[in-house]
Amino acid sequence: MKTSYLSTALSLILFFSLQANGQLLSSYVYGPCDTVNYWYVWGAKTNYKTKIYWGDGTYTKDSVTAYIRVPKSGYGHTYLAPGSYTITSIIRFHDGTIMDSSSTTYSTFCSFVNIYGFIDSNTNCVRDSNERYINNPLHIEVDSAGTIVDTIDILGNYHYATIPGTLYKFKPINIPVGSIVSCPSGGIATVTGPPSHSTITAGFAFQCGSTSQYDLAIAMSGLFRPVATSTLTLHAYNNGCGSQNGTITLHLSKKYAYRSASRPPTGVSGNTITWNVSNLSIGNNATIYVYADAAIGTTLKVDDTICNTVAIAPVLNDVNLSNNTIYQCDRVRASFDPNDKGVFPSGDISPGTKLTYTINFENLGDDTAFNIYILDTLSDMLDAGSFQILHSSHAISHVMQDPPGGQKVVRFEFKNINLPYKNTPAFNKGFVQFSINAKSGLPPLTQINNRAGIYFDINPAVMTNSTENRVTPVAVSDIDVTAEYSLFPNPVKDILTVETEPNGFESLTLLNSMGQVVTKQQVTGRSSYINMMSLPAGLYYIQLIGREGVSTQKVEKL
């Protein structure tokens, strides 16, 4: 996918530690096309001087005395014309010594096409207030001057940056099962990039015929703790016109015990939980939050692997069975904020691996959150051309910024979400999920880290944790396996224990950080043991091989 430069407002957030060395995070905000804002988070009890050069011959300076670690905002600038501007921020101690500096490029065309799809129930080719966006992904092909220049994914609506006066054609390349594009004629929207500082719309009206065709699908995301309550999010939807009731069946890992759910289940049998959901359609989805505790007698450790399976039925007349079942493994984390970012698969991966990111958010305030947006600065190690938005808990729009010389940033916007506050825990949560590939050809040990900022109305950003992947130093593929296993203790001083399900794996191999085999043995029972007492301290890898694939997990030797 060739990503266009987008004209958006810019918001930078600067973090400084008490030792006066910190991290600058840049992010881009969709809003007035010629406005840029800065945010800072200061170290406590320190005096600072700031100077921001806006790139158009103007600058802003200020002196700050920070008594506590709090965000400071208010540095805003308005550009008078479209263009590409280099913004430089310099932070000094009060004595004039430079503490840190950063530069970024802000490009503004100020010309947008707002693209969306909706079910046109009254056939007037206009999205009326009672007509829903198609809240399942639409793939749109973009033609400019007779050449395919882009493909974009729409979940709700998408702000596409254009060059004023240039002709564009937008064409859906996937449509809901049983539907037709009734407007515009021929299913292609032809528009001219509007003048600077303006936006036009390109809406695709879909109509459903008298069809019973359906395409049920399920998505899943987990947040697992070694203690306290963990959360699993299930999202059921339908990519077809035919409204369909469904049954969701979750097979929860035996390391956890079901506690409760935001929607009462229709059946609980051990770790198998079922729900009946009604009237799933392209405009009506269902989200269930499942709560679980560590199973009695189970000791969970950080980085343990937790595998769950979820499926949605019926499948007899489903036109696409590839999205009816998900088998997914997550890692146990010591603690997490409910405003969280997760990645699957986690840990070590191969170059080119498809990564699925899920950003969860929860309104822990004392009032309704009326609008929420998320800013995600993508790692340079990710292939932005492979970006696909997958699912979201609420109607969403998104936009991708591609500044020259800078990191690409995705903004997810939940307008009018009206998310309830903390006293309604069954309804105060949401998420967005997308996939993107690691770049091909990345060298071993390449780090791929990512985090996001979540904005509730006018409040400062709530920063998520950082997800972590690394290109594996060994030549193995990271294939999902259905059998579960655990390694402990990890870190290890002497004897490493590997516990596996019966008949789950056939052999295990210990490799060092260079990919060299240290030892190899057969798996003959539930517990296998590796003596690491005499090995040098450092990182090692356990490679488990079974009938259904290969799994690799790192081990630290103390």
Side-chain angles (χ1 to χ4, degrees):
M1 179 181 75
K2 174 183 174 295
T3 306
S4 299
Y5 295 154
L6 292 187
S7 165
T8 61
L10 171 65
S11 182
L12 284 98
I13 306 170
L14 290 85
F15 290 81
F16 298 103
S17 71
L18 301 182
Q19 290 75 30
N21 50 31
Q23 178 184 12
L24 180 142
L25 302 175
S26 63
S27 54
Y28 293 79
V29 181
Y30 178 76
C33 69
D34 54 1
T35 299
V36 61
N37 296 296
Y38 259 69
W39 290 80
Y40 292 96
V41 177
W42 303 107
K45 298 181 180 180
T46 309
N47 295 327
Y48 302 96
K49 290 182 178 180
T50 65
K51 198 167 186 178
I52 305 170
Y53 296 90
W54 300 109
D56 59 355
T58 65
Y59 63 86
T60 300
K61 63 179 181 179
D62 193 11
S63 295
V64 179
T65 300
Y67 293 100
I68 58 175
R69 188 177 175 87
V70 295
K72 176 180 176 62
S73 62
Y75 301 120
H77 182 69
T78 298
Y79 291 101
L80 300 180
S84 181
Y85 302 94
T86 298
I87 304 170
T88 301
S89 175
I90 300 176
I91 299 91
R92 302 176 185 268
F93 288 112
H94 204 65
D95 63 3
T97 305
I98 292 179
M99 170 184 174
D100 205 350
S101 64
S102 177
S103 293
T104 189
T105 302
Y106 174 56
S107 298
T108 171
F109 294 133
C110 308
S111 172
F112 282 94
V113 177
N114 185 29
I115 310 166
Y116 57 89
F118 68 99
I119 298 298
D120 190 14
S121 57
N122 61 4
T123 68
N124 67 350
C125 292
V126 176
R127 182 182 172 268
D128 300 306
S129 59
N130 64 334
E131 293 175 333
R132 297 184 177 184
Y133 289 117
I134 294 178
N135 201 29
N136 300 324
L138 286 174
H139 307 305
I140 305 292
E141 182 181 85
V142 185
D143 177 297
S144 177
T147 301
I148 305 302
V149 296
D150 218 342
T151 54
I152 57 178
D153 297 290
I154 297 176
L155 192 63
N157 58 72
Y158 185 96
H159 306 289
Y160 189 82
T162 55
I163 299 174
T166 299
L167 188 68
Y168 295 87
K169 294 181 179 181
F170 300 94
K171 176 184 177 181
I173 53 178
N174 74 313
I175 63 175
V177 174
S179 72
I180 61 169
V181 181
S182 56
C183 296
S185 178
I188 298 176
T190 302
V191 301
T192 299
S196 296
H197 301 83
S198 60
T199 300
I200 60 175
T201 62
F204 290 95
F206 290 83
Q207 290 183 6
C208 288
S210 55
T211 180
S212 59
Q213 288 184 304
Y214 62 89
D215 176 17
L216 296 183
I218 192 75
M220 176 169 57
S221 174
L223 295 170
F224 292 98
R225 289 169 162 163
V227 294
T229 300
S230 300
T231 305
L232 194 63
T233 302
L234 309 178
H235 185 63
Y237 58 103
N238 182 0
N239 285 322
C241 271
S243 180
Q244 179 64 40
N245 298 334
T247 298
I248 300 171
T249 302
L250 170 66
H251 297 287
L252 183 66
S253 167
K254 294 179 181 179
K255 297 176 182 178
Y256 283 86
Y258 169 77
R259 180 177 182 178
S260 63
S262 60
R263 180 191 294 251
T266 54
V268 178
S269 177
N271 277 41
T272 299
I273 306 100
T274 57
W275 294 264
N276 290 333
V277 289
S278 302
N279 301 320
L280 294 175
S281 66
I282 52 179
N284 185 43
N285 304 326
T287 299
I288 302 173
Y289 299 98
V290 184
Y291 306 103
D293 300 317
I296 296 175
T298 299
T299 301
L300 292 167
K301 296 167 290 298
V302 174
D303 287 336
D304 275 357
T305 302
I306 305 300
C307 299
N308 304 282
T309 302
V310 66
I312 189 167
V315 297
L316 180 61
N317 296 311
D318 195 308
V319 298
N320 175 22
L321 300 183
S322 65
N323 52 16
N324 288 68
T325 302
I326 289 180
Y327 170 80
Q328 184 168 299
C329 296
D330 295 282
R331 296 170 61 192
V332 174
R333 296 209 298 273
S335 62
F336 57 82
D337 187 285
N339 299 294
D340 166 274
K341 184 172 185 180
V343 62
F344 175 78
S346 59
D348 287 349
I349 61 170
S350 301
T353 295
K354 180 178 179 179
L355 299 172
T356 298
Y357 289 100
T358 304
I359 303 171
N360 298 283
F361 55 88
E362 182 174 345
N363 182 9
L364 297 178
D366 296 320
D367 194 8
T368 299
F370 297 97
N371 296 283
I372 296 172
Y373 65 89
I374 299 171
L375 302 174
D376 193 321
T377 303
L378 300 177
S379 167
D380 287 334
M381 302 301 109
L382 297 172
D383 176 13
S386 64
F387 176 91
Q388 284 189 310
I389 190 164
L390 301 177
H391 315 288
S392 70
S393 57
H394 302 76
I396 191 175
S397 63
H398 77 285
V399 61
M400 182 176 286
Q401 171 74 34
D402 186 8
Q407 287 179 278
K408 294 177 177 62
V409 180
V410 186
R411 173 185 170 101
F412 304 99
E413 187 166 290
F414 296 83
K415 290 184 177 180
N416 302 314
I417 187 173
N418 295 323
L419 196 69
Y421 64 113
K422 64 183 179 182
N423 285 0
T424 53
F427 304 100
N428 70 336
K429 303 172 181 63
F431 75 94
V432 61
Q433 188 176 76
F434 66 93
S435 67
I436 189 168
N437 295 344
K439 288 182 177 179
S440 300
L442 293 175
L445 305 180
T446 298
Q447 296 283 342
I448 305 176
N449 300 328
N450 219 341
R451 73 187 307 201
I454 304 170
Y455 296 76
F456 294 84
D457 292 321
I458 61 173
N459 296 297
V462 176
M463 302 306 298
T464 70
N465 58 291
S466 290
T467 60
E468 298 179 357
N469 289 102
R470 188 179 71 160
V471 176
T472 181
V474 295
V476 298
S477 57
D478 206 4
I479 305 173
D480 295 339
V481 292
T482 56
E484 296 186 10
Y485 64 93
S486 60
L487 312 176
F488 59 90
N490 189 8
V492 59
K493 289 184 178 180
D494 39 40
I495 304 299
L496 177 70
T497 300
V498 183
E499 287 197 352
T500 61
E501 290 185 350
N503 302 316
F505 297 95
E506 298 172 347
S507 68
L508 66 84
T509 303
L510 178 70
L511 306 104
N512 62 22
S513 60
M514 302 301 294
Q516 298 167 324
V517 175
V518 177
T519 184
K520 185 174 182 178
Q521 64 190 59
Q522 297 298 309
V523 176
T524 57
R526 180 178 178 84
S527 298
S528 301
Y529 306 95
I530 301 176
N531 187 346
M532 302 182 66
M533 185 179 303
S534 61
L535 296 178
L539 286 178
Y540 293 81
Y541 295 84
I542 291 292
Q543 181 189 87
L544 285 159
I545 300 176
R547 299 183 184 89
E548 301 173 22
V550 179
S551 181
T552 304
Q553 185 168 327
K554 64 182 178 182
V555 176
E556 182 181 358
K557 169 63 169 60
L558 298 177

